[in-house]
Amino acid sequence: MTDASQEREPNDVRWWLSTTGKAHGPYTESYVIAGLKTNTLPVNAHACPVGGQEWKPVSQWPPFATAVVLALQVTPTPSAPAMAAASAPVLTNPQLPPMANRICAYSIVLSPFLCALYGFSGLMTLSPTFRDDSDFFGLEVLMLILSILANLGLTILLVVVGIRLKALRRSGATIIKAAIWLGLAFSLLYLVAVFVVAAIAGMSEGEHFAEQTPTTAATLIDFVMTIISLVECTFQIIALVWLHRHTKNLPLTAY
């Protein structure tokens, strides 16, 4: 297809096209149909009419439905984008912009790694805040167990929806936002609960707090993990803002 084919035709609606997560065009309907018929335009491309707001696969727009059907009948072999996706890295999709691919990589690989790292570092530096004969010791253990289960559940959810986002499923982007919000909210509530329990214990009669002197290694590990958690929290907030602004422009299919 040449630039000459992009010239405006009388009474012809012009269309924006996306095959890599970025809009190109606008093109005339005849230009798009010709591209589908000659296989120079992939049948899984997304289109949006000039002046419109909705992006859909070209097969879902009536002017191009017939051309897509004919293209699929003529070329039963895998399309070029499908072959490119198959040979692409496991954690990315060439149809997604770089930031979306970073979110996929974080959800699928980095979040499980960080979950394991937090758990391992926690075991290495674990020291009870309350004495084992204190009424608050059981509550501390329960809160720790709930924290581990919540982090594990959120991590599994992030992996699943990260895979769906990489597969261009709209539910992936939607649920990733919800999972990040849940994680941030739980972390905040957990910190508040820890301070509240410690304050109540401090105002209660008797010796509740365990005598402990953290080692240099434990202090260093806690410092490093605090930095890592702050960096992760910063990335999560950036990801939330980016997804909120750009999800509607991504070439995503139905749930």
Side-chain angles (χ1 to χ4, degrees):
M1 296 184 289
T2 64
D3 292 338
S5 62
Q6 301 179 35
E7 296 177 357
R8 180 177 294 277
E9 299 176 1
N11 301 322
D12 195 4
V13 177
R14 292 166 68 85
W15 298 79
W16 295 103
L17 296 178
S18 173
T19 57
T20 60
K22 295 182 179 179
H24 300 280
Y27 305 105
T28 62
E29 288 184 6
S30 58
Y31 174 81
V32 178
I33 293 173
L36 292 169
K37 289 181 178 179
T38 58
N39 295 318
T40 54
L41 179 66
V43 295
N44 62 348
H46 284 63
C48 176
V50 172
Q53 298 294 328
E54 184 178 13
W55 283 86
K56 295 192 298 186
V58 288
S59 59
Q60 295 183 16
W61 292 107
F64 313 125
T66 302
V68 170
V69 172
L70 293 175
L72 292 174
Q73 291 175 346
V74 172
T75 56
T77 56
S79 63
M83 295 175 65
S87 61
V90 176
L91 302 180
T92 61
N93 188 315
Q95 293 184 261
L96 291 174
M99 185 58 190
N101 280 320
R102 293 189 193 103
I103 295 173
C104 290
Y106 164 76
S107 301
I108 300 172
V109 172
L110 191 57
S111 65
F113 172 77
L114 290 177
C115 181
L117 184 62
Y118 291 146
F120 177 75
S121 64
L123 291 175
M124 292 291 294
T125 60
L126 181 63
S127 56
T129 303
F130 301 105
R131 296 160 52 103
D132 56 6
D133 59 349
S134 169
D135 295 335
F136 295 93
F137 181 76
L139 181 59
E140 180 183 10
V141 173
L142 177 60
M143 291 174 60
L144 179 61
I145 293 174
L146 289 176
S147 175
I148 294 173
L149 292 177
N151 287 329
L152 181 60
L154 285 171
T155 299
I156 294 174
L157 179 61
L158 278 173
V159 171
V160 172
V161 296
I163 293 174
R164 292 188 66 80
L165 176 59
K166 176 182 172 293
L168 303 181
R169 297 293 184 180
R170 190 168 298 277
S171 60
T174 302
I175 303 177
I176 279 179
K177 290 188 287 186
I180 293 177
W181 273 118
L182 284 174
L184 293 173
F186 178 82
S187 297
L188 179 60
L189 289 175
Y190 183 80
L191 288 176
V192 171
V194 168
F195 284 117
V196 169
V197 172
I200 294 175
M203 294 185 294
S204 301
E205 296 182 357
E207 292 292 332
H208 297 286
F209 294 97
E211 295 182 2
Q212 51 185 333
T213 303
T215 64
T216 302
T219 302
L220 179 60
I221 292 174
D222 285 339
F223 174 76
V224 172
M225 296 312 300
T226 298
I227 297 299
I228 292 175
S229 63
L230 289 175
V231 172
E232 182 187 17
C233 182
T234 301
F235 176 81
Q236 289 178 335
I237 294 173
I238 293 173
L240 276 175
V241 174
W242 190 90
L243 287 171
H244 178 71
R245 292 181 177 179
H246 299 283
T247 296
K248 62 181 180 181
N249 297 324
L250 296 177
L252 303 178
T253 58
Y255 275 62

